[in-house]
Amino acid sequence: MKKFKLSFMAVIAILAISAALVSQANTFGKRQITACFEVLTLTDGSTTDVLTNASNTPAATADAKVAARPYIANASTPAEAEECESFVDFCCLTIEETENLSAPLIDLGDGFKRYQVKEVFYKP
């Protein structure tokens, strides 16, 4: 009976640890990239829109595009965040992995993952 009691307690302990890890799974391993992209295609899962770094996209336009389509459908190779020249123009952004199935799988150098826009930066 004592052996059964110990093994039952071990099973309960393993289940409790597993439940704790599963409930925190979203906080582990999410990749974030803060970089400048020459071309970025945004999507909401059904429609797309393009942000380009070279087109001097005004802040309000970039914000509206990101709000309507927060997921990354395609992106140029990320470059290091650079000094920006004008206050109101789109410059760089931070993107983060997401589990939302509306975001397509893309490869930004670390295998195929889903990304969403977390923060947009403008030229100072």
Side-chain angles (χ1 to χ4, degrees):
M1 183 72 170
K2 193 172 192 178
K3 189 175 185 179
F4 174 74
K5 196 175 196 181
L6 286 175
S7 62
F8 181 72
M9 288 174 48
V11 168
I12 296 298
I14 290 171
L15 289 175
I17 292 169
S18 299
L21 289 175
V22 167
S23 69
Q24 297 298 321
N26 288 341
T27 60
F28 297 117
K30 281 192 174 184
R31 181 177 183 206
Q32 275 191 354
I33 301 171
T34 300
C36 296
F37 297 87
E38 285 298 320
V39 179
L40 194 68
T41 305
L42 304 170
T43 186
D44 59 2
S46 59
T47 61
T48 61
D49 203 346
V50 176
L51 265 179
T52 59
N53 202 335
S55 69
N56 295 328
T57 305
T61 303
D63 286 341
K65 288 181 177 188
V66 168
R69 295 169 188 86
Y71 308 114
I72 310 299
N74 195 5
S76 61
T77 304
E80 291 298 316
E82 57 194 35
E83 291 298 319
C84 300
E85 299 163 5
S86 166
F87 180 71
V88 295
D89 297 329
F90 159 72
C91 179
C92 302
L93 37 79
T94 298
I95 61 175
E96 179 179 64
E97 281 185 60
T98 182
E99 295 176 4
N100 191 313
L101 297 179
S102 294
L105 290 167
I106 63 170
D107 186 1
L108 293 177
D110 196 23
F112 287 92
K113 298 182 180 189
R114 301 174 196 278
Y115 293 96
Q116 69 182 17
V117 176
K118 183 173 182 182
E119 187 175 3
V120 180
F121 300 101
Y122 300 97
K123 297 178 180 180

